[in-house]
Amino acid sequence: MATTLVEPGVQEVGKSKTSTKYVYSFGGGKADGNGKMKDVLGGKGAGLAEMTNAGLPVPPGFTIQTEACREYMRQGGVSEEVDRQMDAALARLESLQGQKLGKGDNPLLVSVRSGAKFSMPGMMDTILNLGLNDESVEALGKKSNNPRFAYDSYRRLIQMFGNVVLDIEKHAFDEVFDGKKKQRKVKLDTELDAKALKEVIAEYKKVVKREAKRDFPQDPHEQLVMARDAVFRSWQNERAKHYRRINNIDDMLGTAVNVQAMVFGNLGETSGTGVGFTRNPAIGTKEFYGEFLMNAQGEDVVAGIRTPVHISELEKVMPDVYRQLHEITTRLEQHYRDMQDFEFTIQEGKLYMLQTRNGKRTGIAAVRVAIQMVEEGLITKEEAIFRVEPNQLYDFLVPRLDEKKTKVEVLATGLPASPGAAVGQIVFTADEAVEKAGHGAKKNPVILVRAETTPEDIHGMEVAAGILTSRGGMTSHAAVVTRGMGKCCVAGAGDIHVDEKARVMTVKGEKFREGDWISLDGKLDAIPPKADDPELLKLMGWAEPFRKLRVRANADIPRDAIQARAFGAEGIGLCRTEHMFFAEDRIPHMQAMILANNEKDRRQALKKLLPMQRSDFIGVFKAMDGFAVTIRLLDPPLHEFLPRREDLMVDIAVLPNAAAKEKKAMVEKYGRFGAKGAGDLKKVLPTLLRRVEELHEFNPMLGHRGCRLGITYPEISEMQARAIFEAAVAVAKDGVKVHPEVMIPLTATLKEMANQAAIVHRVANEVFKEKQRKVDYMVGTMIELPRAALVADEIAKEAQFFSFGTNDLTQTTFGFSRDDINKILPTYLAEGILKQDPFAVLDREGVGQLVKMATERGRKTRPELKVGICGEHGGEPSSVEFCHQVGLNYVSCSPFRVLTARLAAAQAAAIDKLGVEGGRTK
Ligand code: ADP
Ligand code: MG
Ligand code: MG
C-alpha cells in the first residue's frame, strides 16, 4: 500500500517552514496548547493540554501536531524541523522528570499515542513502554524492585512495536505467549512470573528477527522516531480509512502524535487501569459509570482480555482514589459541559488522568443527557438541539423482540451494550460477515459472534445486523463502536464460549455453528425506545421552532401514511402508484393491461384497476387529512410487470417433455396470463414471450418509462387521474381536507409536461362536473433528468411544483446505474475518487448544483413554485442541510427517516439563526 499521498494543493504556501510550531509540550502544571486546539493537537492532545492547564494529575509529555502528519503523507517523511522540535521537547521532558529516555538507573519510558481531531476508537495505533531495551529493563526492575513488572512491560513493548511499527501479525506473538501460559499451566497473563516473561521476551525477539528481518531496535531514540512515523502511517491504514468513510471524516486531517511519560497500572495490586463515563452512555442516566482492572496496563480493559470490574468496586478497594477520580471527572464534565469518556491509571495508589473526551452515546442517551444538562443549567436549550445527531434518532425506532407474540427461549444474557434487536445467521469473522451479508437485493442478516471485537473487525461490524461478544464490558470496543453505529450489541455474555478457530459457539453444552439463526435484544428495561418518548418530544419541541423546511414522507399505502403521520410527517412527497399495482390481487389486471395489444383491451383492463387505485388513494388521503399528497403517475417500464424473458424461454424449451407435475407448476406460474390448464400453456407461453420481446429494452433505465408511458398510452394517465380525483372528491364529501398534487415523472421537455398536464386537467374537470364538487389540486413534475433542470424555467410554465427525484437525477447526472454501482463504488471510495456514495449523500457540487439552478430558474417563471425533494436523500442529514440552504420548501423521505429529517432541518435552520459555526460538512 502506498503511504505517500501527493496532494500539491494542500501545502500551505507562503508559510516558511521554520515558523511552524510542530511540537506542543504539556506538564508541570502548564501546557503550550489548550482544549480548543483539536485541529492542531487532535482530540487527545487538546484534552491532555486542557487537563494539564487545569492542574489535574496528567503525566507530562508533548504533542506533535497534525501538520507533521500531513507533511508525512505528502512527502513520505517528516522534515528536519519536526525532528529538531521533537528532540528539544524530549529534552525538556527529560529534565522535568529528572530522567533520560531509556537510560540510566531510572529510565524514562513513554507512550506514543495517536489522536486525531475526531475520535476514532482504536482505529490507529498506540505504543506503550517505549524506551525499554535489554539494559533499561534491568534498571526498571531494580528501581521498582519488581522484575516481573519490568519484563511484563518490555514484552508488551516488543509486541506492540512489532505489530504497529514492524507490521508483524499479532498472532505471531500470541502464539508464543499462549504457548508459555500452557507450558506453565496458567490461565491469566498475570500468573506468568518474571522468569517466564524473560523467556517470552527472548522468543519475541526471535519472532521480530524472523518476521521483520531485523533486530528489535535497542536505541530508545530510534524507537521513538520509528514509533512516531508508524503512528502517522496508521492514519492511512485500511481500518482507519474505513472508519472515516463510515463517519464522514475528511481523509486529509491527519493525526497528531502524543508522546507521554508512562505511568504503570501493572505494578501490582495497588495499581490498575480503567475507563469510564460521567453518565451512562447506553441509557443516559446520571451515574458514575466505569470499569477497571487491577494490575493491568493500557488496552487490557478495552480489549476484553480479562473481564473488567465495575467502578463501584474501586470505592471499596481504594476509597480515596475513587473519590478523587469522581471529583476530577465531575469537574471535567462541568468544564467541557458535556458527558466525558475518560481513561485513568493508578500507579501504586496514585491516580493519573490519561484521556478525556466527549463520550460517544446512544441516541436515547444523547437525548436524555442533553435534557438533563439543560435542567442542570449546564447548557442552553439551543445547545441541546445540537447534542443529538439526527441519525441517532433511529435508536428510538429500533425494533424489540416481541416476547408477547413469539415464545423466546433465552439462551444467554450479557450486557445491553447498545440497544435494538437483531435476528440473523451466526458468523465468526468480520470477513465472513461481509461475504454472508451480501448487498442490494441479496442482503442477508448476520450476527457477528466474537469473544471480543477488535478495531480490525470494523468492516464486519458495519454490515452485521447485531454483535454478540462473550467477553468485555460496557466500555469494550464492541460496545463503544456499536453505540456509535446505532446497532444492537450484547456484550460480555459470560455463558457463551466462542471458538473462533473451530467456528463454534457453545452455550451451556449446546453447539451453534456458522449459519445458525439467533436473535439478540439489547434491551433497556428502564426506557423502551419509542417515537413518542416524552423526552424525545421535549427535545424536538425545542428544535422544531427553528425549522423552515417542511418534512413529508414517501408512502404508497395507507398503513405507511399513518405511520408517517405518527412520526410527524407533514404530507406525502411521493406516493408511487406502481407499488399499488404490484399487490397480489392487482397484478393480473395490470398484466392484462400490458399484454393488450390494442387500446380497447387496454382500457378494459384499466377499468378493473380504477376502483382499486381509487380505494388506495382514499385511504392515503384520509391518513393525510389536512396535508398535501403528491401522487406520481406510473413510472417504471412495463416489462417490469412481466416474467423474465430468460425464464420464459427455458419454460418453452422444457414444455414439450415436461412431466405433469412440472406442467402444474407452470399453470400456477402463468395462470394470471391466461393459462387456465396445462393445455393452454402451448399457446400462452409463446404469446407472452412475443410481448416480452416487444417490450424488451437494452437500457430500461433510459427506456419506455415515466411520462413516456403516459404519452404513448394516454389511457393509463387518464385512468390514474380519474382514480385520484374520484377519491379526492369522495373524501372531501366526508369532510377530509384533501390536496392532491399530481406528479408527472421523468419529463425532459415542456411539451411532455404540457401533454400530460392537459390530460390531468381535463379528467379533473370531468370528474368535478360529474360529482358536482371541486377540490384544490396541482399538477407538477419530478425533475430527474439534467435536461429538465436546464430548461426548468420552460417546464415551470406548465408545472405548478417541482420535486427532485434525486435517485434518478444522480443516476443521470453521473451516468451511474444505481443497481450496478456496487462494482465500482468500493474502489472509488478507497481511492478517494468519490468521498461518499452519491446515492446516499447528495452530491452538492454536481447534482446539488442542478437542484439549485432548476429551483432558481423555475421560480423565475413561477415565483410561488413549490419545490421539494423526494429521493432517498430527503432523510439524510447533510442532504437535508443542503436543501435548506438552497431554499427548497420541503424534503420527503421514508417514514422511518422523518424524525431524523425533522431534526436535521431544524439544526440547519438553527445554524443560520444562531450563527453556529460548522454545519454538517466535515
Ligand atoms: P486509544 O486512542 O486507542 O484509546 P490511547 O492512546 O488512549 O489509545 O492508548 C491506549 C491505552 O494505553 C489507553 O488505555 C491508555 O490509558 C494507555 N496509555 C497511553 N499512554 C499511557 C501512559 N503514558 N501511561 C500509561 N498508560 C498509557
Ligand atoms: Mg486503543
Ligand atoms: Mg484512549
Side-chain angles (χ1 to χ4, degrees), residues 121-122 124 126 299 302:
M124 291 178 296
T126 285
E299 303 282 72
V302 214

Side-chain angles (χ1 to χ4, degrees), residues 683-807:
K683 217 179 113 217
V684 169
L685 261 51
T687 318
L688 199 51
L689 179 63
R690 208 172 314 126
R691 187 63 180 150
V692 168
E693 291 198 316
E694 274 166 18
L695 292 173
H696 175 76
E697 292 176 319
F698 286 102
N699 202 339
M701 189 186 87
L702 304 175
H704 194 182
R705 55 171 288 211
C707 68
R708 300 159 198 175
L709 274 173
I711 290 170
T712 46
Y713 302 128
E715 52 279 10
I716 298 179
S717 302
E718 254 172 51
M719 182 282 281
Q720 292 200 288
R722 180 161 278 278
I724 292 167
F725 293 112
E726 286 183 358
V729 169
V731 297
K733 279 201 174 123
D734 293 343
V736 173
K737 288 200 188 72
V738 61
H739 303 277
E741 298 178 348
V742 183
M743 181 154 77
I744 313 300
L746 210 76
T747 52
T749 72
L750 171 62
K751 289 229 163 104
E752 285 173 331
M753 182 64 214
N755 174 297
Q756 291 293 289
I759 295 178
V760 176
H761 290 306
R762 171 170 57 76
V763 174
N765 287 326
E766 283 167 17
V767 173
F768 296 159
K769 215 168 183 182
E770 287 163 24
K771 308 282 174 196
Q772 293 294 305
R773 192 177 190 111
K774 272 189 178 174
V775 294
D776 274 341
Y777 73 97
M778 287 205 277
V779 184
T781 186
M782 201 152 162
I783 305 271
E784 15 184 10
L785 295 170
R787 191 184 196 282
L790 290 165
V791 300
D793 48 345
E794 283 282 301
I795 291 180
K797 287 179 188 156
E798 285 288 340
Q800 294 164 287
F801 67 87
F802 285 173
S803 175
F804 291 97
T806 47
N807 299 339

Side-chain angles (χ1 to χ4, degrees), residues 385-559:
I385 301 170
F386 291 95
R387 290 294 171 89
V388 182
E389 273 287 320
N391 277 331
Q392 286 189 309
L393 295 184
Y394 288 121
D395 287 359
F396 284 93
L397 313 175
V398 290
R400 306 264 327 253
L401 288 188
D402 189 342
E403 289 179 41
K404 284 202 196 90
K405 281 202 194 130
T406 6
K407 218 178 126 280
V408 282
E409 174 202 350
V410 178
L411 269 182
T413 51
L415 300 164
S418 184
V423 179
Q425 287 181 286
I426 296 176
V427 290
F428 290 103
T429 67
D431 288 339
E432 242 167 52
V434 171
E435 196 180 305
K436 280 266 166 69
H439 45 67
K442 289 191 207 95
K443 252 201 174 118
N444 178 43
V446 297
I447 292 188
L448 182 60
V449 178
R450 316 258 308 147
E452 67 224 39
T453 64
T454 70
E456 278 105 68
D457 293 330
I458 183 81
H459 57 299
M461 296 174 77
E462 193 196 356
V463 297
I467 310 235
L468 171 64
T469 69
S470 59
R471 290 196 294 236
M474 293 290 277
T475 51
S476 64
H477 178 265
V480 171
V481 173
T482 47
R483 279 200 289 272
M485 288 177 167
K487 182 166 293 193
C488 168
C489 173
V490 174
D495 278 347
I496 70 165
H497 177 264
V498 185
D499 185 340
E500 274 151 26
K501 256 201 196 129
R503 319 214 148 180
V504 203
M505 165 174 97
T506 318
V507 191
K508 298 167 195 152
E510 204 178 335
K511 290 200 181 326
F512 294 84
R513 293 176 202 282
E514 193 186 312
D516 288 346
W517 289 84
I518 53 168
S519 52
L520 302 180
D521 194 353
K523 180 152 71 166
L524 306 166
D525 280 324
I527 10 155
K530 48 187 177 29
D532 57 356
D533 176 278
E535 304 209 278
L536 171 64
L537 295 182
K538 192 174 209 174
L539 188 102
M540 291 303 282
W542 294 339
E544 291 271 86
F546 287 99
R547 183 158 64 86
K548 293 262 164 41
L549 276 175
R550 304 243 123 199
V551 176
R552 297 192 188 183
N554 298 346
D556 307 330
I557 52 172
R559 192 189 62 221

Side-chain angles (χ1 to χ4, degrees), residues 44 111 113 122 126 128 260-263 298-299 343 354-355:
K44 198 178 286 167
S111 61
R113 319 171 64 186
T126 285
L128 304 181
Q260 187 176 26
M262 282 301 300
V263 286
E299 303 282 72
E343 293 178 2
L354 288 171
Q355 191 170 328

Side-chain angles (χ1 to χ4, degrees), residues 308-355:
V309 202
H310 195 266
I311 198 88
S312 54
E313 285 297 307
L314 186 63
E315 194 172 8
K316 293 183 197 144
V317 269
M318 295 185 169
D320 288 343
V321 172
Y322 176 84
R323 222 168 301 130
Q324 192 194 359
L325 180 66
H326 193 163
E327 194 255 323
I328 287 176
T329 53
T330 307
R331 249 176 80 197
L332 284 171
E333 189 183 89
Q334 295 282 328
H335 179 74
Y336 284 104
R337 305 191 310 133
D338 200 355
M339 171 182 117
Q340 295 299 295
D341 164 356
F342 53 86
E343 293 178 2
F344 63 94
T345 282
I346 304 159
Q347 176 174 325
E348 300 187 305
K350 189 168 169 1
L351 174 69
Y352 293 93
M353 296 306 296
L354 288 171
Q355 191 170 328

